[in-house]
Amino acid sequence: GQQLNQSPQSMFIQEGEDVSMNCTSSSIFNTWLWYKQDPGEGPVLLIALYKAGELTSNGRLTAQFGITRKDSFLNISASIPSDVGIYFCAGQRTSGSRLTFGEGTQLTVNP
Amino acid sequence: DSGVTQTPKHLITATGQRVTLRCSPRSGDLSVYWYQQSLDQGLQFLIQYYNGEERAKGNILERFSAQQFPDLHSELNLSSLELGDSALYFCASSVARSTGNTIYFGEGSWLTVV
């Protein structure tokens, strides 16, 4: 079953606002990945984090790998309508092992 | 385009039937993962193969089986289908970098059991 707690479950924001979501775990992960999924589509990789404390950006997206290796957050700055979708965090314990997913954060952006 | 190809994209079948879902991983990727996503649910890990061998098993039903072939494509077989098996089935493949793995998902196969 799921072992990652992702919050918030949903967010309703205005275009231009910044967004923050996070994932926490009771156990350590060596890799954190963030995905975005549109309805009926496959998850699209946004950012991959491989080192505790690592802060990585991809355009308006910034994600950090927590120092304890038990958490990660994703920030989206200056949101736009196409940011709408479900964002999933995923942790990987060891290289090549399965991903464990969070429950997802449903983001709605009002123009 | 992630480079992971899944077929078919949509499938409608009756209860009790058997279907096969196919996945072609990204070129050079040795690992293939299968995940199930039911309506409004997260992604549940089913099974992983690495270079033809089963590597890890998740909550995969006994009615389901998978294999990875020498050319690294993989098939997920679902038999004695029930209404509750209706879901999106995703395949993912991974590439190992010196820093860690990166895992890419296909577009999914949408199975509807009626």
Side-chain angles (χ1 to χ4, degrees), chain A residues 43-45, chain B residues 1-6 9 24 26 104-107:
Chain A
V44 175
L45 181 65
Chain B
D1 182 6
S2 67
V4 180
T5 304
Q6 289 187 248
K9 289 201 181 334
S24 293
R26 286 162 52 96
Y104 294 91
F105 282 77
E107 303 241 329

Side-chain angles (χ1 to χ4, degrees), chain A:
Chain A
Q2 301 283 20
Q3 297 176 38
L4 293 184
N5 297 309
Q6 186 172 348
S7 64
Q9 283 190 329
S10 61
M11 302 184 75
F12 298 84
I13 62 170
Q14 293 297 124
E15 184 175 359
E17 288 183 0
D18 297 344
V19 169
S20 184
M21 58 193 79
N22 69 84
C23 268
T24 59
S25 170
S26 57
S27 52
I28 288 172
F29 289 99
N30 285 326
T31 298
W32 283 93
L33 304 170
W34 284 91
Y35 292 88
K36 177 176 183 257
Q37 186 179 27
D38 292 327
E41 308 269 330
V44 175
L45 181 65
L46 300 174
I47 291 182
L49 302 159
Y50 301 112
K51 192 175 172 183
E54 180 181 356
L55 184 72
T56 298
S57 292
N58 177 8
R60 295 179 295 106
L61 277 59
T62 301
Q64 185 157 29
F65 192 142
I67 289 291
T68 65
R69 292 194 279 157
K70 292 182 180 181
D71 63 319
S72 176
F73 72 75
L74 174 71
N75 285 341
I76 305 173
S77 63
S79 58
I80 58 179
S82 62
D83 290 335
V84 166
I86 302 178
Y87 292 79
F88 288 100
C89 63
Q92 187 180 46
R93 289 219 163 75
T94 59
S95 180
S97 66
R98 72 178 78 174
L99 291 180
T100 299
F101 279 86
E103 299 96 336
T105 296
Q106 171 74 63
L107 178 63
T108 302
V109 180
N110 296 314

